[in-house]
């Protein structure tokens, strides 16, 4: 696809010129840049550029939203103009990470681990939702499930359930693969480590509480040391810490073992040491920590539900802006593994829908055609679970739509928390998200969804009309976009 070279040259100029670029790559929709000095970026010039749908800075990277398909052609022109070295996403991340403080690095590490496995988890959530519709009672027939009335669908639902449950059953293997890769080790060893922690010879973590009560927890006797023979299904911390240890041992051995015997020494020794540490120390300690974390969130859910919904639901969009929202993916997974459901993820859905509704309202009140087009497409994206275009491309530019979205998300989240709404899995974080919600909570969830759609839309539309009458709607965009670039 041909692009206007002059427009790409203007992008280069707006980000401070070729000399301000440390590394550059692109993803499906965005240019991803590590810049020498973010303060040199001319945000007003970027907003005025016909190719730019939005921009933001996160985790040390400056990202320019172009759009799917078009971004490939823009990147080619961009590299030709700047004569920059092509970098991989990992190289850009490495260049950007040097600008982060320790907390930001920790958050970025969690994001780097969980984002790659997110498609598998979301797919599993969607399929579980379909299975729940087929097997849930009182959805199509009173007191009966669809598979009970039409028995020929029973095995069809059973196969879907098997496919859907696989990602959650072997979740430690997925985390092990991604975590060991992130820490610099062999991803294959990470998979093996995860599978070790859910080996069928071990007592399942789901059966551990009852076995503990009954006094039937199986034990290993390691030279007089009693070790519980349990697995870590649905757990995050045990495999996460074990993966870090495995990667560091592997790296240590790789530097010291001769190439001629590496195959026979490095992997066996690294897995053996990590395996023993996982079952003796890491697993028991992190299992207890994970249960404490779960208990803390559940206590909030039980005792101050409305306040929890108001704070988490209302501020979730801010977490997206800072990149901290990825941290809570691990918490969602831990809650699902420990309690069978999560009350945090439904509030994520409310926030996404609310930001989409605010962006949609801007389609009706904005005067600039570029803003109207971006508002229409980005609102649809948000309704389907991807909010970055709506947040960074529209809502933060004008500021008040972002705040209106937060208000709608807060109100709807309070409703969800008061109704004890929980999701059985992580799915699509938008309107299709109801598929992941336990069927008995659908009514409350749809009520919250209605609030998340209506309140931000009405507030944004009303405030936008008022600013249009005063002639101040577009005047604040240059100032507001500076919020995005920080």
């Amino acid at each position: 696809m041909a692009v206007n070279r002059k427009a790409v040259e203007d992008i280069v100029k707006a980000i401070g010129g070729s000399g301000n670029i440390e590394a550059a790559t692109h993803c499906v929709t965005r240019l991803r840049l590590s810049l020498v000095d973010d303060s040199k970026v001319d945000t007003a010039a970027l907003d005025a550029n016909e190719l730019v749908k939005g921009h933001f800075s996160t985790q040390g990277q400056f990202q320019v939203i172009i759009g799917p398909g078009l971004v490939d052609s823009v990147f080619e022109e961009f590299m030709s103009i700047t004569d920059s070295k092509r970098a991989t996403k990992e190289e850009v991340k490495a260049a950007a990470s040097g600008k982060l403080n320790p907390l930001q690095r920790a958050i970025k590490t969690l994001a780097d681990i969980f984002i790659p496995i997110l498609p598998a988890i979301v797919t599993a959530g969607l399929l579980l939702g379909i299975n729940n519709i087929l097997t849930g009672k009182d959805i199509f027939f009173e007191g009966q499930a669809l598979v009970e009335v039409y028995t020929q669908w029973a095995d069809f639902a059973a196969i879907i359930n098997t496919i859907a449950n696989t990602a959650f059953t072997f979740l430690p293997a997925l985390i092990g693969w991604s975590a060991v890769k992130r820490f610099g080790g062999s991803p294959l060893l990470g998979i093996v480590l995860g599978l070790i922690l859910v080996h069928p010879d071990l007592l399942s973590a789901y059966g551990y509480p009852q076995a503990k009560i009954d006094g039937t927890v199986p034990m290993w006797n390691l030279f007089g040391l009693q070790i519980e023979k349990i697995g870590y299904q649905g757990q995050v911390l045990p495999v996460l810490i074990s993966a870090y240890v495995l990667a560091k041992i592997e790296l240590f051995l790789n530097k010291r073992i001769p190439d001629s015997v590496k195959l026979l020494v490095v992997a066996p020794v690294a897995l053996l040491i990590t395996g023993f540490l996982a079952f003796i120390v890491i697993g028991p300690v992190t299992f207890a920590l994970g249960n404490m974390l779960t208990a803390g969130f559940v206590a909030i859910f039980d005792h101050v539900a409305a306040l929890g919904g108001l704070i988490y639901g209302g501020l979730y969009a801010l977490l997206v802006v800072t990149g901290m929202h990825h941290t809570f993916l691990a918490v969602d997974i831990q809650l699902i593994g420990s309690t069978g459901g999560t009350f945090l993820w439904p509030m994520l859905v409310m926030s996404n829908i609310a930001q989409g509704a605010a962006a949609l309202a801007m389609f009706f009140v904005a005067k600039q055609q570029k803003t109207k087009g971006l508002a229409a497409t980005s609102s649809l994206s948000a309704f389907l679970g991807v909010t970055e275009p709506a947040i960074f491309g529209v809502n933060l530019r004008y500021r008040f739509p972002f705040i209106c979205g937060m208000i709608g998300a807060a109100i709807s989240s309070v409703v969800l928390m008061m109704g004890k709404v929980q999701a059985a899995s992580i799915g699509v974080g938008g309107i299709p998200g109801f598929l992941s919600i336990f069927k008995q909570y659908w009514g409350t969830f749809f009520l919250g969804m209605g609030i998340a759609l209506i309140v931000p839309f009405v507030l944004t539309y009303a405030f936008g009309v008022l600013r249009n009458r005063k002639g101040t709607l577009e005047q604040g965009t240059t100032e507001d976009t500076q919020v995005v670039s920080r």
Side-chain angles (χ1 to χ4, degrees), residues 295-319:
F297 275 97
V298 171
I300 295 174
F301 180 60
D302 288 337
H303 300 296
V304 285
L307 180 61
L310 186 70
I311 295 174
Y312 186 77
L315 298 182
Y316 185 82
L318 276 179
L319 296 178

Side-chain angles (χ1 to χ4, degrees), residues 11 45-55 64-66 370 374 397:
I11 293 177
L46 282 177
D47 290 332
N49 194 292
E50 63 183 29
L51 295 174
V52 177
K53 305 292 192 299
H55 52 86
V64 182
I65 303 171
I66 303 296
K370 179 180 176 180
L374 182 57
R397 290 179 62 190

